[in-house]
Amino acid sequence: MSPRDWFPRLRGPQLTDQQLHRRAALPTVAVAPTTSLKEVRWVVMDLETTGLNTQKDQILSIGAVVIEGGVIAMGSQFERTLHRREHRVNESTLIHGIAPSEIEQGSAPADALLDFIEFAGQGLMLAFHAPFDQRMLARGLRLDLGYKLQHRFLDVAEMAPMLCPDAQVGRGGLDDWQRHFGLANERRHNAAADALATAQIAMILLSKARSQGIQTLGQLQERLGNWRRLRQARTGSM
């Protein structure tokens, strides 16, 4: 027995020939900063996970919807539940409500992740509290698919207060911004429903960005960077 056999985590995921072929065919992702906001293919996504620890928890479901041509493409929606053989009911189950039977019947993680990255294509990811989703997705892709995440992320939770500085939104969570904009979401903590709710907020924010003279992706990223540095400076001076 090879010494490496004692350390299964050091080996890559065991993929079928078909999965390896699909992984090899995934395109290089790059969205030019000069791309206008209306021309960007925004992939608005949400994850439900076994917990909030990005070092050990796992993805249980992925939901996503696309904003393309300035509108939510209702025909371009994505939803997958992932099979997790060793998953056990825990406190997170009370939040996401994914039954053990759904996990048992879910897709193989490698297939679900391949489906999602193929769905995302050349899009730019949007999520609410994006750093968490980005880290969880990157970890899942690495462990379950042996693939490095290439997609860039923007955080709707940062865009909202930047573009609506006078809004009174309490903690500034997804529920707060939904109420602020008069939106309803009866299926909170469902990945697909939360992705759609985030997309609805993003549509309003992208319209506000254009009305404030932000026309390209690069301009939006620059404004976000400046806003983030200003906020950090104010926090540090308190």
Side-chain angles (χ1 to χ4, degrees), residues 26-201:
L26 294 173
T28 300
V29 180
V31 182
T34 53
T35 307
S36 76
L37 296 183
K38 280 192 174 182
E39 291 176 348
V40 174
R41 184 175 189 269
W42 305 94
V43 180
V44 191
M45 57 91 69
D46 183 78
L47 302 177
E48 296 299 335
T49 62
T50 56
L52 300 178
N53 189 324
T54 57
Q55 300 300 315
K56 71 175 184 179
D57 283 308
Q58 296 179 309
I59 299 169
L60 293 180
S61 68
I62 308 171
V65 65
V66 168
I67 298 174
E68 200 162 23
V71 298
I72 297 175
M74 298 305 293
S76 293
Q77 297 187 62
F78 182 93
E79 186 173 12
R80 291 288 187 284
T81 298
L82 282 64
H83 173 72
R84 297 295 184 186
R85 182 169 55 86
E86 298 178 358
H87 176 63
R88 298 291 182 270
V89 173
N90 60 21
E91 60 273 14
S92 294
T93 307
L94 299 175
I95 298 174
H96 57 63
I98 304 174
S101 59
E102 294 179 79
I103 301 296
E104 179 64 29
Q105 297 170 14
S107 302
D111 286 330
L113 290 165
L114 280 165
D115 288 345
F116 178 58
I117 296 301
E118 290 170 347
F119 170 84
Q122 296 283 344
L124 192 148
M125 301 281 192
L126 281 178
F128 201 91
H129 295 316
F132 173 78
D133 294 273
Q134 185 173 10
R135 286 193 288 268
M136 288 298 298
L137 181 60
R139 181 175 184 272
L141 288 169
R142 184 179 73 253
L143 296 180
D144 292 320
L145 195 57
Y147 179 79
K148 183 177 180 180
L149 176 64
Q150 298 185 37
H151 291 79
R152 299 287 299 276
F153 276 71
L154 289 184
D155 190 357
V156 175
E158 285 191 331
M159 291 170 58
M162 181 191 76
L163 295 166
C164 308
D166 298 326
Q168 302 297 318
V169 291
R171 295 179 300 104
L174 182 60
D175 292 322
D176 299 305
W177 284 104
Q178 283 185 284
R179 284 191 291 270
H180 176 74
F181 291 125
L183 303 172
N185 181 2
E186 298 178 356
R187 298 180 63 203
R188 280 286 280 117
H189 300 296
N190 168 277
D194 283 356
L196 180 58
T198 304
Q200 292 170 335
I201 293 171

Side-chain angles (χ1 to χ4, degrees), residues 176-231:
D176 299 305
W177 284 104
Q178 283 185 284
R179 284 191 291 270
H180 176 74
F181 291 125
L183 303 172
N185 181 2
E186 298 178 356
R187 298 180 63 203
R188 280 286 280 117
H189 300 296
N190 168 277
D194 283 356
L196 180 58
T198 304
Q200 292 170 335
I201 293 171
M203 283 286 295
I204 296 170
L205 296 176
L206 290 170
S207 176
K208 286 184 176 292
R210 292 190 295 270
S211 71
Q212 294 176 26
I214 303 172
Q215 300 297 329
T216 68
L217 175 60
Q219 290 172 341
L220 178 58
Q221 291 173 316
E222 181 180 10
R223 180 76 70 86
L224 276 168
N226 292 338
W227 178 84
R228 196 179 297 121
R229 286 189 291 272
L230 180 61
R231 185 182 61 171

